Amino acid sequence: MQYDPKDIERKWREKWQADKTYQVLNDPAKPKYYVLDMFPYPSGAGLHVGHPLGYIASDIVSRYKRHSGFNVLHPMGYDSFGLPAEQYAIQTGQHPAKTTEVNIARYREQLDNIGFSFDWSREVRTSDPAYYKWTQWIFLQLFDSWYDHAAQQAKPIAELTARFATQGWHPTDACALTGDVEEELGAFTAAEWTAFDERTQQRILQQFRLAYLSEAWVNWCPALGTVLANDEVKDGVSERGGHPVERKRMPQWSMRITAYAQRLIDGLDTLDWSESIKEAQRNWIGRSEGALVRFALKNAPGHIEVFTTRPDTLFGVTFVTLAPEHELVEVITPAERRAEVMAYVTTAKNRSERDRMADVKKVSGVFTGATCIHPFTGQEVPVWVGDYVLGGYGTGAVMAVPGGDQRDWNFATHFGLPIIAVTEGADISKEADERKDAIICSEGFLKGLAVPDAITRAIDELVKLGAGERRINYRLRDAAFGRQRYWGEPIPIYYKDGVPYALPESELPLKLPEVDKFLPTAEGEPPLARAANWNYQGHPLETTTMPGWAGSSWYFLRYMDPHNAERFASPEAVNYWQQVDLYMGGSEHATGHLLYMRFWTKFLHDRGWISFDEPAKKLVNQGMIQGVSAKAYRLLYGSMSWGDHVTDETDDPSHLTGPYMFISAELRADWLKNEEDVEVNRLIDHALERHAEHLTQVYGEFPFKLFCDGSAQLKTARKLVDISVLKEDGVSLDMEALPLKDAEFRGGTFITRDGVFRVDREVEKMSKSKFNVVNPDDIISKYGADTLRLYEMFLGPIEQSKPWDTNGIEGTFRFLRKFWNLFYESDVFSVSDEAPTKAEFKVLHATIKKVTEDIERMSFNTSVAQFMIAANELGSLKCNRRGVLEPLVIALAPFAPHIAEELWEKLGHTTSITTAAWPQWSAEHLVEDNFSYPISFNGKTRLQLEFPIALDAKSVEEQVLANPEVQARLEGKAPKKVIVVPKRIVNIVV
RNA sequence: GCCCGGGUGGUGAAAUGGUAGACACGAGGGACUUAAAAUCCCUUGGUCCGUAAGGGCUGUGCGGGUUCGAGUCCCGCCCCGGGCACCA
């Protein structure tokens, strides 16, 4: 019987479902292993072949671990809240819940086709009220917590209020305050705290809560009508859609992730994650060590605080620069300079981040007219405003050391400010000296010290003078948490007298209300403001919703106990499953999802809900599977005329709505190589004539004339073609299918040499808009899911990005057929119970060894190759012994579960192969009697000589040198040296 | 600019410091077949010598180095991908 995947795969999918083969129980008797895939956002486009890559790899590991005796949790679900569904809802009026439902059904169908071992009884959806009840609950826990820096732990707000009631609060307790809280919080005594009214108390508490409401600078995206998180903004535009983003100050729910900055950095050292992801997170958190320095103001009370990583260069300070948005600018500027300074501040502030990024070179600034006092020298230092200083970073002010910092140098040079050398051997006439391995040359107590020593000394002095202290600064900002959108978790908060209060836990879930439209109200309120009775006991409810990352920050916990109505997951379940052992997903989530998930995990740990404080021990990032776009070339005419009208080549003739001319890719390439190419030019000229006639017919009246004269470059426009109209060879177009697929080709003139129109291929991101999407369903209907699974793994190392080329799939399909045929003798299932031969055992054990080791190190492409070798060799040996084939089927099962189940059943088993124990290899079957030594001269292999494996190095050397061919090569000379590495190589140095 | 990856045949790729290119795709040749499909066999980095058997040289981005021996280790550069970036 020929291997025919269609029926086999359908049969087993149905059987697995009926038998609940993949259902996982929380069984404390068995060791656990938790394999998690980053759950998908169910988009309308469905899955393409790139999506399942990681799922297949994790499925192989899951199945392998199950064969190895582990109780494996391998769940799947949907991150089903999000912008696209809402945008679609706005356009079509369809409720996002509905489209999400449809999309999920489609995803599920596609996933099922691939034969994953997901336990679907544990499916979660972030948009399901039974799920988001707990997202809201976690939010309330965050709202009810503050961060105790001394203890490095989140604690209940009640402990803080108790502390206020006994100790009050003083700003030197600042360690308790973190993040983007911008209001200055004055000191209060215990008595004052008790005397404060409710409203004041609540406002103070906002500054401590881990989920808090504050006036904050946010990334406002007018086109999307919402606030975006930092990681959702790329180069000043929204990551999704590329809409402009502006900085805006508005009341905003935030998450105090900054409190965890240090722990998020430190925790990385304990994780088996790729170095690049860890580095990305470290960069994103952006820890810098340095000092806070206070420059007392000359003509005003108070001081300017600056953060610097180089307090050792303090003697090189020649001015201080404030960010335009710095609040002291207004305070210190004397009246006579006011107009000029404020004018600059206004322009600088209005420059968008994008503009500021665009011309980094341009120096701009203005002198405030004020001065401050250098803490060491007591000299007056002028205070400037410059937009190279960022308001949102550090203190929004820098001490300028033009001798040691290039940006300060640029500023000083531009405005003619003094530049003092701070380091020995610096040539400050050309540029600043930023070396950190230098010796300080400033006059004073730092002279002669190496930079690190000078830093320590400078900080000591600052502390002594009360002018500064050691400070660690983080780039990480608190995370914006509110979205002015509909399709997200409602924030369980109501307002009394404008003060936010937590909704009682008994009110959860706070369900997403029905609204008439998914748009903001006329007053600009978020869509939830449209909902009827959107209040709690008469108090208005919060109208913003949570961002996409909320639900995904803790979902790994819900899978442990997905139907628990009393708790996000039972303590027993959490204690059993613990951390994710293997987390598989894309590296694009490096600074978003993966950071937030770590943050929430640490928080839940702090508050005692879970016993671990990192979500995933090991993280593997699967590479992207890229698409290979097909580029056709549309010929742009050099010039054209019709009737009296003449266009020249600068006119875009595309105002004619076609038909168009297209030139085959190889002709274009030939022409570009040699524009005099007679044959190509003749073809083009001929086609121009034909096409002109054609246009004349189509548009009537005027005779068209088209030119593509020699002086003009052959101009073409890139036109992407849907890859489904490509023929088998991957470059020529199916001219019948083409006009049906894409109207732009209808009636076109195609310039070809041989009647075959060819395109160029280019590796790009696989996406619908590039017409290069390959749907796994198509592959499966042709070759089956097992072939798809094998092929995706065979393409290359899992972590690498690689282009999809369906052509290579034949190889894995052939392999499965060969494998199948090992069990068949001309259409009859035929497996012998005879003992396997030595050679057969060797193939088997070599394969088990290689595959086992390869799965452990996630090298799936090489394990597939080993299976191919095994099938080829066993085929040559005509092996059909049960003793070989049976263990081999088990080894193949994680990769190709359908065919494995089928053969397993045919071998006489009545239980699923998933319950079979993983085969063990033993070294005795792998020993060789002889080894064929490569004999090399000076490292170059010249011949092979076979010796018994047991032969010692000395005897090998003797026999090698005695060999006539070796002797011939030595030409009678004695070798300088002979290296014999047993079972490896012999190298003769001459 | 800084920080991570990576660069090997026509293509995807393999290789604990020890025979570079396993395994596949593609290509070429052959067998079977009326034919096709399927299957099987051979060749396939480049280049040179030879009628042939066979052999020489060369080859893992570039230039050095360590080593008996380097795709692999070290130093310096070039290119590609990703991250960060007026971050003090």
Side-chain angles (χ1 to χ4, degrees), chain A residues 608-624:
Chain A
W609 297 103
I610 55 180
S611 60
F612 42 88
D613 81 337
E614 284 289 349
K617 283 194 249 183
K618 183 178 169 73
L619 172 76
V620 173
N621 302 113
Q622 86 273 18
M624 238 186 358

Side-chain angles (χ1 to χ4, degrees), chain A residues 542-554:
Chain A
E542 170 64 44
T543 53
T544 60
T545 52
M546 298 188 198
W549 56 267
S552 60
S553 292
W554 72 280

Side-chain angles (χ1 to χ4, degrees), chain A residues 566-620:
Chain A
E566 307 303 320
R567 208 168 178 276
F568 63 87
S570 73
E572 297 75 38
V574 174
N575 283 335
Y576 178 59
W577 292 111
Q578 298 266 323
Q579 289 159 288
V580 173
D581 293 284
L582 173 65
Y583 195 24
M584 180 74 70
S587 54
E588 68 273 21
H589 299 108
T591 53
H593 163 64
L594 288 170
L595 206 55
Y596 297 129
M597 180 159 82
R598 293 183 61 219
F599 160 41
W600 280 32
T601 303
K602 287 184 188 301
F603 166 73
L604 290 170
H605 170 259
D606 282 1
R607 289 295 309 270
W609 297 103
I610 55 180
S611 60
F612 42 88
D613 81 337
E614 284 289 349
K617 283 194 249 183
K618 183 178 169 73
L619 172 76
V620 173

Side-chain angles (χ1 to χ4, degrees), chain A residues 598-812:
Chain A
R598 293 183 61 219
F599 160 41
W600 280 32
T601 303
K602 287 184 188 301
F603 166 73
L604 290 170
H605 170 259
D606 282 1
R607 289 295 309 270
W609 297 103
I610 55 180
S611 60
F612 42 88
D613 81 337
E614 284 289 349
K617 283 194 249 183
K618 183 178 169 73
L619 172 76
V620 173
N621 302 113
Q622 86 273 18
M624 238 186 358
I625 289 198
Q626 293 145 319
V628 189
S629 307
K631 290 188 296 185
Y633 297 98
R634 199 181 86 202
L635 190 75
L636 303 179
Y637 320 113
S639 58
M640 70 191 293
S641 70
W642 63 97
D644 301 333
H645 194 101
V646 179
T647 70
D648 65 19
E649 58 184 297
T650 57
D651 270 350
D652 178 11
S654 63
H655 66 272
L656 282 184
T657 52
Y660 302 112
M661 293 179 72
F662 300 92
I663 181 161
S664 189
E666 84 284 5
L667 286 179
R668 173 176 174 272
D670 287 349
W671 197 90
L672 289 176
K673 231 180 282 160
N674 170 25
E675 25 184 289
E676 310 290 317
D677 190 310
V678 179
E679 187 210 356
V680 177
N681 280 308
R682 193 180 49 78
L683 284 167
I684 292 174
D685 289 342
H686 181 65
L688 283 166
E689 261 171 58
R690 263 191 302 145
H691 196 66
E693 279 169 32
H694 188 40
L695 284 179
T696 308
Q697 269 175 25
V698 172
Y699 288 89
E701 300 166 69
F702 309 114
F704 275 80
K705 273 203 156 159
L706 301 170
F707 308 96
C708 181
D709 25 35
S711 60
Q713 282 253 328
L714 176 78
K715 281 199 183 156
T716 51
R718 182 181 114 127
K719 162 74 188 158
L720 290 179
V721 186
D722 194 298
I723 54 166
S724 66
V725 297
L726 292 172
K727 291 194 176 168
E728 290 272 296
D729 63 1
V731 291
S732 57
L733 290 182
D734 180 340
M735 299 311 285
E736 274 164 37
L738 184 62
L740 298 174
K741 197 82 195 181
D742 190 332
E744 207 176 312
F745 292 102
R746 241 166 253 166
T749 298
F750 294 84
I751 312 174
T752 67
R753 182 178 279 136
D754 48 7
V756 180
F757 189 82
R758 293 180 183 84
V759 293
D760 278 344
R761 303 297 300 266
E762 189 186 344
V763 173
E764 292 183 302
K765 201 181 146 131
M766 189 173 281
S767 101
K768 226 175 170 180
S769 65
K770 307 231 183 256
F771 305 108
N772 60 7
V773 171
V774 179
N775 187 331
D777 298 347
D778 298 341
I779 306 285
I780 290 169
S781 66
K782 198 162 172 200
Y783 298 100
D786 287 336
T787 297
L788 174 78
R789 292 170 61 108
L790 282 171
Y791 186 55
E792 294 230 4
M793 293 300 102
F794 188 63
L795 276 177
I798 189 78
E799 297 192 77
Q800 232 166 70
S801 288
K802 53 242 156 186
W804 179 267
D805 176 12
T806 304
N807 279 330
I809 204 168
E810 292 285 346
T812 48

Side-chain angles (χ1 to χ4, degrees), chain A residues 109 139 253 339 458 480 483 760 855 973:
Chain A
E109 196 192 331
F139 175 88
W253 281 98
R483 297 285 184 277
D760 278 344
I855 296 176
K973 285 174 273 185

